[in-house]
Amino acid sequence: MFQIYGTTCHLCGHGGATEADHLTPIRDLPNQTPDPHAMRPAHGALYRRADGSILRDSRCPTCGKACNQSRGAKPLSGVAAPEVEDDGFGEDYEDDFTGVGGGDDYSDRI
């Protein structure tokens, strides 16, 4: 999945994502087979051992969010679009391939 989509979190738009977010939540389709095209990169949570020490910190290094866990089982249409960094083309620029730009609904990005 990371080879296809890279490591930019599809939820917050920042780099360094290390977890896979199922586009259809596992709660809604519990027996789904692993399909890299049905997942997107996302930041995870802060995982602790029983003694409280940190096992792994998968939160976003930029905004500190645990994006995948924050989304939970919400449909993508209910998730805010990530902030897009300034690309130098101005506010009216729209990506020719994805249609992303100028406040599009997040569902257009997948």
Side-chain angles (χ1 to χ4, degrees), residues 37-84:
H37 298 285
M39 301 175 189
R40 295 294 184 276
H43 294 108
L46 176 64
Y47 299 95
R48 293 187 182 270
R49 293 182 179 93
D51 66 4
S53 64
I54 295 173
L55 175 64
R56 181 174 49 133
D57 188 354
S58 298
R59 296 175 297 179
C60 177
T62 304
C63 65
K65 292 181 182 175
C67 304
N68 199 1
Q69 285 73 14
S70 295
R71 175 188 169 212
K74 291 183 264 201
L76 284 175
S77 60
V79 178
E83 292 293 321
V84 179

Side-chain angles (χ1 to χ4, degrees), residues 8-105:
T8 299
C9 178
H10 80 114
L11 297 168
C12 74
H14 299 135
T18 59
E19 296 192 1
D21 179 29
H22 293 80
L23 298 179
T24 300
I26 293 173
R27 179 197 71 186
D28 296 342
L29 187 60
N31 295 323
Q32 55 187 296
T33 57
D35 177 1
H37 298 285
M39 301 175 189
R40 295 294 184 276
H43 294 108
L46 176 64
Y47 299 95
R48 293 187 182 270
R49 293 182 179 93
D51 66 4
S53 64
I54 295 173
L55 175 64
R56 181 174 49 133
D57 188 354
S58 298
R59 296 175 297 179
C60 177
T62 304
C63 65
K65 292 181 182 175
C67 304
N68 199 1
Q69 285 73 14
S70 295
R71 175 188 169 212
K74 291 183 264 201
L76 284 175
S77 60
V79 178
E83 292 293 321
V84 179
E85 294 181 20
D86 182 9
D87 55 16
F89 292 102
E91 290 181 33
D92 295 330
Y93 171 75
E94 185 171 295
D95 186 276
D96 292 334
F97 299 103
T98 62
V100 173
D104 289 340
D105 183 289

